[in-house]
Amino acid sequence: MPPTVRNFNHQVLPGPFSHPQQPHLQHLASHHQPSGSSNLPPPSFNPHHALNQGNHNSNINLFSQSGNSNGLAAGFGTTGGFGGGGTGLASQGAMSAFAHGAALQQQQQQAREQVRRGSTTGGSKNPLKGRIRDVWRGNLAQEMQLLRSLVEKYPYISMDTEFPGIVARPMGAFTTKADYHYQTLRCNVDLLKVIQLGITLFNENSDCPPPQFPEMSGLNLPAYPNNLLPCPCTWQFNFQFSTQDDMYNSDSIEFLATAGLDLDLHEKQGIDPSEFGAMLISSGLVMYDDVKWISFHSGYDFGYLVKLMLCKPLPEDETAYRRLLGIFFPAIYDIKFMIKHAQRYGTANDAPLTHTANTILQNLGQKSGLQDLADELGVKRVGTAHQAGSDSLLTGRTFWEVKKLIFDGSIDDEKYLGQVWGLNGVGTTLQSSMTAFQQANLSGSAVEETPNLNGATIYPTQNGNQGPPSTPGSSQPGLASTPNQPNQPNQPNQSNGMGSMTPGGGGGVFGGFRGFGRG
């Protein structure tokens, strides 16, 4: 705190830093006084007259709202300071413009700061507030070092990604529903770049790392000297992405920008995906059976992570991709698969659902988004929605509530581990998939969807009922087949009154996207 400025004895000095008598200055002032102003008082030479006279300890702010004793009225008022008579900078219009500009600038700064830190909807007392760590190119190495030191004690990793939407659909004949979904995933992941990855650490008791972690003191991390800064529980990795050079879906990018992503900063300070992939392979977060990854509708999420570590396109065959997925991520929980399985069969771990679980799932109904499930379970979000860090934290906290309230405290790994919503069902024929869809429609059960835009889910409808499994885009395509393909022997007409079976969005390999780099 700066020392208090004391006023001098006014009997010794009439004003701070002024001389008792200044006749020579008064004489000069009289010579420079304009004609016709003989009735005006002589100008004041007290330097503190205009800037808050009488209180020399106050903070001077020329850009505060009018009415503040330290503001424009004091700095540009008509009784002293700059100009007199209410003209120029002292005019009412000028003062109003300054005040309005200052207020707008303050609001913008507060909004940017809120987005940077993440707005908290879970209340100001939430212990996780402020523990989402943004990771850029400059602090990637030290944050990965911290993660390596934590993962052994906190081996449950909840994950979410943000990516630039869906821009392509495969064309051709597909023998299985799973094959169509995978080919859609593959062509989009190969064409696009991930923008954000969020991961949150938990232990087997659902606890995150504490704010002060003892092992941090021996890591020599510049960002956490002597545990003065809290240890994060969530890391939000921001990757290099350019709207000028990289492909994207315009609607998705606009959506992400609205959620607070600073795409200019991503272009200038974003992480090199190849560098991150190399660090991830050696981090201890992947390729270990005892490290369990928690996700929600995560086919695309894991597709991007596999691509980061492979540094090459995904395999053309889904079976080969699933082998790679099992190598990099041996233990995956997909919450959406678990919930849909419980809704469809009315069981959890092959046991009938409890009354509490039944009530939750009935209230959830056909809603199947992460936020819908979190709201039903009473899980409050921390941070900004549709940013990977906040979404990964919400995913993890929702998982533990699902385990407790729907699965009665335990999860059968033989039944649920390794299942990814949207990629399961390998080997199912196209016709049996159609039959399963029709049966699901009759029973009111949900069917698999593919995420729309950057991960949100669409639910196409037909006559008020949920439509067939669809691939995202600006339109609502059905199951894929070659256009005008004649009916195969022993196979009924596949249209079944359901319209075109070829992915829409204008037809062709690319369906309904904009913003293909320059041109």
Side-chain angles (χ1 to χ4, degrees):
M1 179 180 294
T4 304
V5 179
R6 299 178 180 275
N7 291 333
F8 292 98
N9 189 333
H10 289 278
Q11 295 179 352
V12 180
L13 295 175
F17 311 112
S18 63
H19 296 285
Q21 299 295 331
Q22 302 177 3
H24 60 292
L25 296 178
Q26 299 287 347
H27 174 70
L28 290 173
S30 65
H31 283 284
H32 291 283
Q33 189 171 357
S35 60
S37 59
S38 58
N39 294 329
L40 295 176
S44 170
F45 290 90
N46 184 349
H48 292 269
H49 179 72
L51 301 178
N52 197 17
Q53 182 179 9
N55 183 3
H56 311 299
N57 294 327
S58 64
N59 293 323
I60 300 169
N61 181 5
L62 298 180
F63 300 100
S64 62
Q65 295 281 357
S66 58
N68 188 330
S69 62
N70 296 332
L72 291 168
F76 301 112
T78 59
T79 59
F82 299 102
T87 60
L89 292 176
S91 67
Q92 184 66 32
M95 289 190 289
S96 299
F98 274 111
H100 180 65
L104 288 178
Q105 187 177 22
Q106 185 177 18
Q107 291 173 3
Q108 291 173 354
Q109 185 175 3
Q110 290 175 346
R112 286 194 298 266
E113 184 69 13
Q114 185 181 37
V115 167
R116 187 181 69 83
R117 295 185 177 181
S119 59
T120 302
T121 59
S124 59
K125 296 183 179 180
N126 196 305
L128 299 178
K129 182 180 180 181
R131 296 187 61 203
I132 299 178
R133 179 75 167 178
D134 265 308
V135 185
W136 300 91
R137 186 187 308 151
N139 63 335
L140 173 62
Q142 69 180 17
E143 296 302 329
M144 292 300 291
Q145 182 182 355
L146 179 58
L147 279 168
R148 282 193 293 269
S149 70
L150 292 171
V151 68
E152 186 173 355
K153 292 187 176 180
Y154 297 88
Y156 287 80
I157 305 174
S158 59
M159 177 270 293
D160 182 75
T161 67
E162 301 296 339
F163 50 89
I166 300 295
V167 300
R169 299 181 184 86
M171 299 294 292
F174 304 94
T175 57
T176 68
K177 175 177 61 175
D179 181 36
Y180 172 65
H181 280 291
Y182 173 70
Q183 295 304 329
T184 306
L185 180 154
R186 180 179 70 88
C187 64
N188 281 281
V189 169
D190 286 348
L191 287 169
L192 304 176
K193 294 170 63 176
V194 65
I195 299 178
Q196 273 189 344
L197 165 67
I199 62 173
T200 302
L201 300 188
F202 299 89
N203 61 17
E204 62 277 4
N205 298 318
S206 75
D207 297 322
C208 290
Q212 277 71 42
F213 194 73
E215 284 78 356
M216 287 176 59
S217 58
L219 295 178
N220 192 26
L221 298 175
Y224 308 96
N226 300 318
N227 280 341
L228 294 179
L229 290 179
C231 174
C233 66
T234 300
W235 287 259
Q236 182 168 271
F237 295 91
N238 300 280
F239 294 97
Q240 197 281 329
F241 183 84
S242 170
T243 54
Q244 296 297 317
D245 301 324
D246 299 319
M247 191 186 298
Y248 60 91
N249 180 298
S250 295
D251 293 337
S252 183
I253 287 296
E254 291 172 8
F255 181 78
L256 292 176
T258 302
L261 268 70
D262 189 339
L263 296 175
D264 290 336
L265 199 59
H266 277 266
E267 182 174 2
K268 296 173 183 176
Q269 300 183 23
I271 299 167
D272 181 350
S274 299
E275 181 181 1
F276 176 82
M279 288 188 175
L280 182 60
I281 287 179
S282 60
S283 66
L285 304 178
V286 296
M287 298 189 289
Y288 284 92
D289 294 341
D290 53 352
V291 176
K292 295 179 170 59
W293 285 73
I294 302 167
S295 60
F296 186 93
H297 199 162
S298 54
Y300 281 75
D301 298 326
F302 285 112
Y304 279 107
L305 290 184
V306 170
K307 176 187 172 182
L308 286 173
M309 290 182 284
L310 280 180
C311 294
K312 63 180 182 180
L314 298 181
E316 294 186 6
D317 178 58
E318 183 189 358
T319 304
Y321 169 72
R322 291 194 67 115
R323 282 199 296 266
L324 285 174
L325 189 64
I327 293 172
F328 288 124
F329 303 98
I332 295 174
Y333 293 111
D334 191 315
I335 302 172
K336 189 162 187 175
F337 175 86
M338 296 163 59
I339 291 295
K340 292 301 183 183
H341 190 278
Q343 285 181 319
R344 178 172 297 178
Y345 297 104
T347 63
N349 301 320
D350 288 332
L353 294 173
T354 65
H355 175 72
T356 300
N358 257 320
T359 302
I360 293 172
L361 295 180
Q362 287 175 4
N363 292 340
L364 189 64
Q366 293 299 313
K367 298 180 294 183
S368 57
L370 174 62
Q371 189 65 61
D372 298 322
L373 180 58
D375 291 342
E376 193 61 43
L377 295 170
V379 179
K380 301 297 184 182
R381 178 181 289 276
V382 177
T384 305
H386 307 299
Q387 292 195 10
S390 174
D391 286 356
S392 76
L393 179 55
L394 186 66
T395 298
R397 298 177 70 199
T398 301
F399 169 80
W400 297 108
E401 290 300 309
V402 166
K403 179 180 178 180
K404 178 175 68 174
L405 298 177
I406 298 179
F407 287 81
D408 202 21
S410 64
I411 296 174
D412 184 358
D413 287 350
E414 291 292 329
K415 182 173 292 293
Y416 302 103
L417 200 64
Q419 300 288 354
V420 177
W421 182 257
L423 289 181
N424 44 315
V426 176
T428 306
T429 65
L430 182 61
Q431 181 57 36
S432 62
S433 296
M434 293 294 299
T435 303
F437 158 70
Q438 293 167 346
Q439 291 175 348
N441 257 351
L442 293 174
S443 64
S445 301
V447 194
E448 297 174 50
E449 313 89 8
T450 301
N452 184 39
L453 297 182
N454 63 311
T457 302
I458 58 174
Y459 305 99
T461 58
Q462 295 177 351
N463 302 324
N465 296 322
Q466 186 174 5
S470 63
T471 300
S474 55
S475 63
Q476 299 171 356
L479 291 173
S481 66
T482 303
N484 301 322
Q485 182 181 10
N487 293 333
Q488 301 297 323
N490 302 322
Q491 195 170 25
N493 189 318
Q494 293 177 354
S495 63
N496 292 323
M498 299 170 63
S500 173
M501 302 299 291
T502 302
V509 175
F510 299 105
F513 75 94
R514 298 183 296 279
F516 185 61
R518 293 189 179 92

